[in-house]
Amino acid sequence: MSSPSLLTTINDLILRPEYHDYLSILKGARNGFVYGVKIRFPHALIMSVLFGRGDVQSRIKQIFKATRTHALNLAKFVTIYKTLLLLQRKLNDDKERSADTFIAGLIGGYIVFGERTAINEQIVLYVASRVLASFIPRSFPSKNPPGINGTNKPIPPNAKLFTVFASLTWALVMWLFRHREETINPGMWSSMKYLYLDSNSWDGLKTLLWHNK
């Protein structure tokens, strides 16, 4: 009888229930990075073509930098958020409290999106608009404006105020997603489902790291 292949051994290992919570953090980071690339790359490309300055090489560098920043920031936020959720649950006899998502979102938003840069501002304002829109009843359950060329230069004014704003925005949207998901814009909900729920499921190494499903 032949011995199991390396891939079979790895798949058996990553499907063990005792490793699920930790591997879901890994897949969450993967999904965050992939989603960031999908969202930022076409935006940075179009903005560079329409409004960019400089030669082709400098524009390509700007597109790459903006895409990398957006993707890494989402990957970091998902990692911090899911890690803090797990930590809080472990400290509370493996039970999740209502405030856990708010606290994890608050800390993650502060660490990752607290600095006021052009890319962070775009992301936070987008999320904030969705938070505000969640309160609307639904019929069913400078010289270089921010973002042009995908720049990520710091914007000095009201830095501390923006940090508080960003932290609260992420705290609120994560709480809404967990406890009042029906109030969130459908497009935003689909994005969050990909980042925070789909990353909890896989059936082997391929769907853990390469394909979402």
Side-chain angles (χ1 to χ4, degrees):
M1 184 174 182
S2 61
S3 59
S5 66
L6 177 60
L7 181 58
T8 301
T9 301
I10 293 175
N11 283 338
D12 289 342
L13 186 66
I14 64 180
L15 289 175
R16 291 184 181 178
E18 61 265 32
Y19 300 137
H20 178 271
D21 290 341
Y22 305 101
L23 290 174
S24 74
I25 296 172
L26 175 62
K27 184 168 182 179
R30 177 262 179 204
N31 282 13
F33 186 86
V34 171
Y35 187 76
V37 171
K38 289 181 178 179
I39 292 297
R40 177 57 60 170
F41 178 76
H43 175 270
L45 178 63
I46 292 172
M47 295 301 288
S48 178
V49 171
L50 295 179
F51 304 108
R53 298 177 183 177
D55 56 24
V56 175
Q57 186 176 4
S58 64
R59 294 191 189 195
I60 291 175
K61 287 182 178 179
Q62 291 168 351
I63 293 170
F64 175 77
K65 181 180 179 181
T67 302
R68 180 187 61 188
T69 300
H70 194 140
L72 287 176
N73 279 3
L74 277 183
K76 286 188 287 187
F77 178 82
V78 177
T79 300
I80 293 170
Y81 172 77
K82 291 176 76 74
T83 299
L84 289 174
L85 277 188
L86 177 60
L87 179 61
Q88 290 178 96
R89 199 174 74 233
K90 294 294 184 183
L91 293 174
N92 193 42
D93 296 326
D94 215 31
K95 297 177 182 177
E96 182 181 321
R97 300 166 300 179
S98 176
D100 287 353
T101 52
F102 185 90
I103 294 171
L106 183 73
I107 296 174
Y110 174 81
I111 293 173
V112 180
F113 297 102
E115 180 184 2
R116 190 177 189 183
T117 65
I119 288 178
N120 280 356
E121 185 173 85
Q122 288 173 353
I123 295 172
V124 170
L125 289 178
Y126 171 78
V127 174
S129 70
R130 299 311 187 192
V131 172
L132 291 175
S134 73
F135 293 100
I136 301 173
R138 292 184 177 275
S139 58
F140 54 86
S142 98
K143 292 183 180 178
N144 294 311
I148 289 183
N149 295 330
T151 55
N152 196 36
K153 297 179 180 179
I155 304 174
N158 303 320
K160 291 183 179 179
L161 181 60
F162 180 81
T163 298
V164 174
F165 176 66
S167 302
L168 288 174
T169 294
W170 281 98
L172 287 169
V173 78
M174 298 317 301
W175 185 88
L176 287 169
F177 179 66
R178 180 58 63 90
H179 300 289
R180 293 189 60 200
E181 60 178 314
E182 73 280 359
T183 66
I184 296 179
N185 172 272
M188 179 74 171
W189 183 88
S190 295
S191 301
M192 297 182 76
K193 175 181 177 293
Y194 177 82
L195 295 173
Y196 308 107
L197 296 184
D198 289 358
S199 59
N200 291 332
S201 302
W202 57 88
D203 58 15
L205 185 62
K206 183 179 179 180
T207 50
L208 175 66
L209 296 178
W210 187 247
H211 289 293
N212 183 49
K213 292 184 178 179

